[in-house]
Amino acid sequence: MNPAAPSSPLPASPAARSRFLQRWLGADPARQAQLDELSGLSLADVDLGAALARQRDAGQSQPLPLPRAMRRLRNLLVCAIIRRDLEGQAGLDEVVTAMTRFADFAIQTHTAALAEELVAAHGMPTGEESGRPQELMVLSMGKGGGGELNVSSDIDLIFVYPEDGETAAGPGQRQLSNHEFFVRLGRRLNAALSEVIEDGFTFRVDMALRPNGNSGPLAASLAMVEEYLIVQGREWERYAWVKARAVTGTLEDIAALDAIVRPFVFRRYLDFGVIDAIRNMHAQIRAEVKRQERLHPERSHNVKLGRGGIREIEFLAQVFQLIRGGRDPALRERSTRATLRLLAERELLTQDTVARLLEAYTFLRNLEHRLQYLDDAQTHTLPASEEDRLAVAQMMGLPDVATLLDRLEQQRSFVAAQFDAIFADKSEGTEAEGVTLADDPENREAIATRLAELGYDDPPSAAARLVATLQGPRLASLPEASRARLLALSDAALGRIASVVREAGIGSHAATLGRLLDLFEAIARRSAYLSLLTEYPHTLERVIRMINASGWAATFLTQHPILLDELLDDRNEGAADVDQLASELDTQLGEAAGDTERQLDILREAHHAQLFRLLALDLAGELSVERLADHLSLLADTIVGATIRHAWRTVASRHREEPRFAVIAYGKLGGKELGYVSDLDVIFLYDDEDEMAPSNYARLAQRFITWNTAHTAAGILFDIDTALRPDGASGMLVSTVAAFERYQNASAWIWEHQALTRARFCAGDAAIGARFEAIREQVLRKDRSGQEQQLKSEVCAMRRRMRETNVNPGSLFDLKQDEGGMIDIEFIVQYLVLRHAASYPQLTANAGNIALLRLCGELGLVDATLAAGAADAYRVMRRLQHQVRLQGQEKARVDPQLLGEHPDRVRRLWQACFGA
């Protein structure tokens, strides 16, 4: 028929276009009533057991054999699906759910019946080690495993049994090994499902995904599966096992299998190397499809394996699962549609992209079903016959073939574009012009010449460092593929470093190259990170911009390369909402309950990721030092709170569900002036009369310290300092609120009251936090007017002792410790609060040194001009301290000329307050 020919009128029912349906109805007039009855029900939850029983009992003197009844039920169900789908009563979800449920039902029913027969003949298979009865686990793979089975699809199965052993044969029974028993059971199950008899077949069965494929044993023990996946498992098998779902077997055995399969499929790190593996697998599939299309041009338009087809959507969904599923359990979803929706929730793909991919998936799957509805054939290509193409178009609700092809092209073009965005080979066409490192990585002179042409400030030194790194033992012994990838990344980086330094107007080419090479050395043996930088070239540029701006950022990233994921795109831009972060932490820590090591890593990874986002904003100039400190302090509060909640649940002797326990913050955290690497000064209070309270809360405090300071693969959280607790290092680790109050009123030193000016409730029981704040207010507001000289004397004495232990021998100005520096300002503020809070209670507000200085000036407690000058000095010094720390310097010492008159202003205020 000519493609331009007019379309035929639609028949009375679209289902009449299905030749299979018409043949089935024509073979027995009684089938119409059965079809009418079943078609009136939602097929996604139809009672399959009752439906099978009706088939077995229908008009027979003897029950119909199970294989025949199952095939009759299958044909009835398929015809009902065809009718409901084409008449608009069922959507894609009902179609695939009904087919998957029926496949599971058929497998379970036949397995139970056949196992019963074999046990009667040979005895129950029994585990050699466990002594337990053994059951076959039938794993549904592919679309069946994902709950999205096609109407005329085959089913991909794998047979697994728990352990080797022998059957417990009784009198008259022949003993078999467990392996032989389950191989026989598997063969009989395949025959029961797939043999073509007078009623047709139930499902074609494909066993090619089992260990060692068609050359492997039909059934494998858990030990065999584990050894195979560890020793021989290939990347494409990880893709296949994502959808593995046990249809039969005990919960205990299924859990044991999952424990074997999960680490093979989902790696604990972010596995970007899978992109290249799927790219290669896709290329092989496409090559085979093209070969078939050349041999059989009439088989073009393969909606499953062709360009922009169903398989590309599945690959798009599963690549994110394989990359991230090890760290995000939610992404271990088997359904393609559910996974796509999760990708939108996780902002790994945009909402619009996911919506259009789901639309394309639905279109392509519906089209695939209509191709199969014609003759119940396992086909994925448009038919060669123009008449059949028109029938398919009309089953799709379209007027003609041209419209069908146009819609098909639209959907496939979008899918192909999305696929290419992820899987296009980023290394193609990115080779550096002229000589590359791969040509001669040891030619220092040629490399130096190239760096000079790029504008490097010290080409010989940069070239020497580059050659030394490439020749070093860590990189020289790399596998060839990793070394080639690293050389290509280094080539790409050389020009980008020159561009970044030029555009930023700061930094050194040689220093930035050195920092990048340190990172490369750290990740060289972790191919996933090399893959990430290769597959996402813009991430390499973001890395270079960051490490050029900050030596500390370079060190932090080198220590925690998992943070490279934060630079992939803009989905993590900005500071996180702390309530959302707390909720996510509670969920993740709850899921990892019982695995303390994982819980520690969850806390560290979350903290490092948030820290890194703030660092990115900081380096972009979007945060003042004060706002950054606020964010860092709030982040620490959130981490401390989560740690307390979940560490308490690990105290086996805990006497209540929620601890009456609080963490009180002092120092930088207490004053909300936390930096990137600040430790936490804290004390622990509790208010609980239970006899177990002292020991349990001591355990909780110790566990809190351990959870923060322990070195794991993800690093540490915070160093913890508890020296400010009552009686210092000789005192109890935890105190009751009453004991703390007595100590502050009767035994505390002046310096401890100074520290109290910067203290606040951080996390834990809010009622204890409120009591602490009341005690703090009462202590700080004591009338000290009669001890003014004693107060001055003790503050000055403490300051002298600090200077004596922190001598600065150089000519640079120590921003913290030197006279006229930040600690002088802090001591001035603390003195003013202790001296005047009795008369001016607003001074006890934990408002920060700058705000309190200005308030003291406004109240006339000190000269307002001097106070403002000291406040300005404190702001300048904090900013300079921050800049020095970002460059990775441990001591905050700077050229005195950078400070101008600021230290003198601080000294004048000190003189005004203390007279010395």
Side-chain angles (χ1 to χ4, degrees):
M1 183 184 293
N2 189 306
S7 59
S8 300
L10 283 171
S13 167
R17 289 289 184 186
S18 168
R19 290 189 287 265
F20 170 72
L21 173 59
Q22 298 310 313
R23 286 196 300 270
W24 181 81
L25 284 173
D28 183 352
R31 290 176 176 173
Q32 183 68 56
Q34 294 181 49
L35 180 60
D36 291 342
E37 180 184 357
L38 191 59
S39 298
L41 304 173
S42 171
L43 302 178
D45 47 18
V46 69
D47 186 340
L48 294 170
L52 179 66
R54 284 195 294 273
Q55 292 298 322
R56 297 198 73 174
D57 298 338
Q60 304 286 334
S61 55
Q62 296 266 337
L64 201 64
L66 178 60
R68 293 194 61 192
M70 192 69 75
R71 282 157 173 74
R72 290 190 176 189
L73 176 58
R74 183 263 179 194
N75 292 333
L76 171 61
L77 181 67
V78 168
C79 288
I81 287 173
I82 292 172
R83 179 166 160 182
R84 283 181 60 81
D85 187 4
L86 295 183
E87 292 182 356
Q89 296 173 294
L92 176 63
D93 188 67
E94 179 178 320
V95 172
V96 297
T97 301
M99 285 308 301
T100 304
R101 283 187 68 240
F102 176 67
D104 291 354
F105 172 75
I107 291 166
Q108 292 159 354
T109 305
H110 281 302
T111 300
L114 294 168
E116 187 177 345
E117 292 175 11
L118 279 171
V119 168
H122 303 286
M124 176 64 73
T126 304
E128 192 170 48
E129 295 182 9
S130 68
R132 290 192 303 113
Q134 305 285 290
E135 291 185 25
L136 180 67
M137 284 178 278
V138 179
L139 306 185
S140 182
M141 309 290 283
K143 287 188 173 65
E148 296 171 328
L149 199 62
N150 275 333
V151 172
S152 300
S153 177
D154 58 5
I155 50 176
D156 296 289
L157 302 180
I158 295 177
F159 300 145
V160 180
Y161 59 93
E163 59 182 302
D164 286 318
E166 294 180 329
T167 61
Q173 293 178 321
R174 180 183 164 216
Q175 189 174 62
L176 298 176
S177 69
N178 286 357
H179 179 74
E180 188 175 356
F181 179 94
F182 288 115
V183 167
R184 290 190 182 191
L185 178 55
R187 285 201 192 104
R188 293 190 184 187
L189 176 60
N190 285 346
L193 291 168
S194 63
E195 278 187 358
V196 178
I197 58 178
E198 61 263 47
D199 298 287
F201 62 91
T202 303
F203 285 101
R204 306 172 193 87
V205 177
D206 190 333
M207 300 289 298
L209 293 177
R210 69 184 187 268
N212 288 307
N214 290 327
S215 63
L218 193 66
S221 67
L222 283 174
M224 291 168 64
V225 171
E226 182 171 27
E227 181 180 5
Y228 175 81
L229 294 181
I230 291 172
V231 177
Q232 299 183 55
R234 290 156 289 183
E235 284 293 330
W236 70 262
E237 287 176 295
R238 291 178 59 203
Y239 170 87
W241 280 86
V242 167
K243 292 185 177 291
R245 179 174 59 86
V247 177
T248 67
T250 68
L251 293 177
E252 184 180 351
D253 292 338
I254 292 169
L257 175 64
D258 183 58
I260 291 168
V261 173
R262 186 173 58 250
F264 168 68
V265 176
F266 301 110
R267 306 295 158 84
R268 291 191 69 172
Y269 51 83
L270 293 168
D271 187 9
F272 289 91
V274 76
I275 295 176
D276 193 47
I278 292 183
R279 179 191 295 129
N280 291 336
M281 181 163 56
H282 177 258
Q284 293 171 17
I285 293 170
R286 288 289 300 127
E288 176 59 21
V289 170
K290 287 181 178 177
R291 189 181 73 83
Q292 291 292 337
E293 288 178 348
R294 281 196 304 273
L295 294 174
H296 308 281
E298 73 280 2
R299 295 182 187 171
S300 59
H301 296 300
N302 188 315
V303 299
K304 177 182 179 182
L305 302 178
R307 192 74 173 101
I310 295 165
R311 182 54 50 85
E312 289 192 359
I313 300 177
E314 293 171 342
F315 279 159
L316 276 167
Q318 286 187 274
V319 71
F320 289 102
Q321 292 182 287
L322 293 174
I323 290 172
R324 299 173 182 279
R327 309 185 68 81
D328 186 350
L331 284 173
R332 297 170 193 169
E333 171 63 54
R334 296 181 180 93
S335 159
T336 297
R337 293 168 298 156
T339 300
L340 286 171
R341 294 185 187 104
L342 272 171
L343 297 182
E345 288 178 21
R346 296 292 193 274
E347 298 182 3
L348 296 167
L349 290 174
T350 67
Q351 293 280 356
D352 179 64
T353 298
V354 167
R356 292 195 61 187
L357 285 172
L358 286 168
E359 177 190 326
Y361 185 80
T362 301
F363 179 90
L364 293 169
R365 288 297 305 272
N366 282 337
L367 177 55
E368 181 181 43
H369 287 153
R370 280 145 182 78
L371 299 176
Q372 297 172 353
Y373 290 166
L374 283 173
D375 290 300
D376 189 26
Q378 187 186 2
T379 181
H380 312 284
T381 59
L382 289 186
S385 157
E386 194 64 27
E387 185 177 349
D388 283 352
R389 289 191 175 197
L390 179 59
V392 170
Q394 292 177 335
M395 282 193 280
M396 289 290 289
L398 301 173
D400 51 46
V401 175
T403 305
L404 171 64
L405 294 176
D406 182 59
R407 294 280 181 86
L408 177 59
E409 181 58 29
Q410 289 176 26
Q411 300 293 356
R412 285 169 44 155
S413 294
F414 177 77
V415 172
Q418 298 306 310
F419 183 88
D420 287 345
I422 300 293
F423 292 101
D425 193 340
K426 314 302 189 303
S427 63
E428 292 180 356
T430 60
E431 293 82 1
E433 293 181 10
V435 178
T436 67
L437 293 176
D439 295 329
D440 191 356
E442 299 179 11
N443 191 334
R444 188 178 303 181
E445 291 74 18
I447 294 171
T449 299
R450 181 176 165 198
L451 297 181
E453 292 170 352
L454 289 169
Y456 274 55
D457 43 29
D458 188 357
S461 297
R465 171 63 204 276
L466 179 56
V467 171
T469 300
L470 296 177
Q471 290 179 336
R474 189 173 295 183
L475 269 57
S477 59
L478 284 177
E480 191 57 38
S482 293
R483 182 168 172 80
R485 188 170 285 163
L486 190 66
L487 287 171
L489 284 171
S490 300
D491 258 326
L494 296 179
R496 285 191 172 96
I497 289 172
S499 300
V500 166
V501 172
R502 183 173 61 252
E503 292 168 11
I506 59 168
S508 154
H509 300 90
T512 302
L513 176 60
R515 294 166 183 171
L516 184 65
L517 292 173
D518 287 340
L519 173 64
F520 282 173
E521 284 189 296
I523 66 174
R525 295 204 168 275
R526 304 170 79 172
S527 61
Y529 294 131
L530 296 178
S531 297
L532 185 157
L533 294 173
T534 302
E535 299 292 347
Y536 298 93
H538 66 278
T539 302
L540 177 61
E541 183 157 343
R542 289 185 173 192
V543 168
I544 292 169
R545 289 187 185 282
M546 183 167 278
I547 65 178
N548 176 66
S550 168
W552 181 82
T555 301
F556 190 63
L557 187 57
T558 300
Q559 291 171 342
H560 309 290
I562 193 172
L563 295 171
L564 287 168
D565 180 49
E566 297 292 321
L567 298 176
L568 267 180
D569 50 46
D570 298 331
R571 70 182 186 281
N572 292 329
E573 273 196 344
D577 177 87
V578 290
D579 291 335
Q580 181 182 347
L581 175 62
S583 175
E584 290 173 355
L585 278 174
D586 277 338
T587 299
Q588 292 178 38
L589 290 168
E591 289 172 349
D595 186 349
T596 302
E597 182 181 354
R598 181 64 195 133
Q599 289 181 309
L600 265 57
D601 282 347
I602 287 168
L603 288 166
R604 282 150 179 75
E605 289 159 7
H607 179 248
H608 293 159
Q610 299 302 323
L611 204 67
F612 201 61
R613 295 181 195 181
L614 292 170
L615 175 62
L617 291 171
D618 181 11
L619 295 177
E622 295 183 29
L623 290 177
S624 66
V625 175
E626 291 81 3
R627 280 192 63 212
L628 174 65
D630 287 343
H631 282 302
L632 290 171
S633 302
L634 194 55
L635 173 60
D637 289 354
T638 305
I639 296 292
V640 168
T643 303
I644 290 297
R645 285 191 297 278
H646 292 273
W648 175 246
R649 294 170 193 172
T650 69
V651 177
S653 58
R654 66 186 184 277
H655 56 284
R656 62 175 70 252
E657 273 307 301
E658 297 299 327
R660 293 179 182 172
F661 178 94
V663 178
I664 307 301
Y666 280 73
K668 292 291 186 186
L669 179 59
K672 296 183 180 178
E673 294 182 348
L674 211 62
Y676 288 120
V677 290
S678 302
D679 58 4
L680 304 186
D681 294 293
V682 297
I683 68 167
F684 307 110
L685 300 181
Y686 72 93
D687 185 20
D688 193 333
E689 298 298 325
D690 193 284
E691 63 179 13
M692 294 293 293
S695 58
N696 278 341
Y697 293 135
R699 287 190 187 95
L700 174 58
Q702 190 57 60
R703 208 151 288 186
F704 171 83
I705 293 170
T706 301
W707 277 38
N708 275 278
T709 60
H711 282 266
T712 75
I716 73 164
L717 266 176
F718 299 100
D719 284 321
I720 303 295
D721 190 335
T722 60
L724 290 172
R725 66 187 186 269
D727 290 319
S730 62
M732 300 290 288
L733 185 59
V734 296
S735 301
T736 65
V737 176
F740 176 79
E741 183 173 19
R742 286 194 300 272
Y743 179 85
Q744 289 295 331
N745 283 312
S747 306
W749 297 82
I750 289 293
W751 67 264
E752 290 179 286
H753 287 172
Q754 284 181 251
L756 201 59
T757 65
R758 286 159 62 85
R760 65 182 177 84
F761 167 66
C762 171
D765 189 303
I768 297 176
R771 285 195 61 193
F772 165 77
E773 295 294 350
I775 294 167
R776 174 181 176 275
E777 291 281 323
Q778 177 257 317
V779 170
L780 295 182
R781 291 180 187 178
K782 281 184 177 180
D783 185 357
R784 295 178 174 86
S785 58
Q787 297 92 37
E788 182 173 359
Q789 282 308 120
Q790 181 189 354
L791 180 61
K792 287 183 179 181
S793 175
E794 292 203 27
V795 171
C796 289
M798 174 57 73
R799 185 68 190 99
R800 275 195 304 275
R801 286 196 293 273
M802 290 183 69
R803 284 208 190 98
E804 288 165 2
T805 56
N806 292 279
V807 177
N808 177 12
S811 60
L812 297 178
F813 184 85
D814 191 312
L815 292 166
K816 282 185 65 177
Q817 300 290 347
D818 277 357
E819 189 177 311
M822 294 169 70
I823 291 181
D824 279 2
I825 298 172
E826 291 165 3
F827 270 51
I828 290 169
V829 171
Q830 291 161 14
Y831 163 74
L832 291 171
V833 170
L834 293 177
R835 171 65 185 82
H836 297 288
S839 302
Y840 302 99
Q842 61 266 49
L843 290 174
T844 61
N846 197 330
N849 292 300
I850 293 172
L852 288 172
L853 276 171
R854 295 192 184 281
L855 179 59
C856 289
E858 292 168 4
L859 293 172
L861 305 178
V862 292
D863 180 274
T865 303
L866 284 179
D872 290 341
Y874 194 72
R875 179 178 287 110
V876 169
M877 290 179 194
R878 280 191 68 190
R879 187 168 64 246
L880 285 171
Q881 180 192 47
H882 182 64
Q883 290 171 359
V884 169
R885 292 276 166 79
L886 278 179
Q887 290 310 316
Q889 297 177 33
E890 190 174 337
K891 296 285 188 181
R893 293 173 179 167
V894 299
D895 187 331
Q897 292 184 354
L898 292 173
L899 291 161
E901 296 183 10
H902 287 303
D904 286 337
R905 290 171 181 158
V906 177
R907 293 185 194 108
R908 285 200 293 273
L909 182 58
W910 182 276
Q911 181 72 28
C913 290
F914 300 106

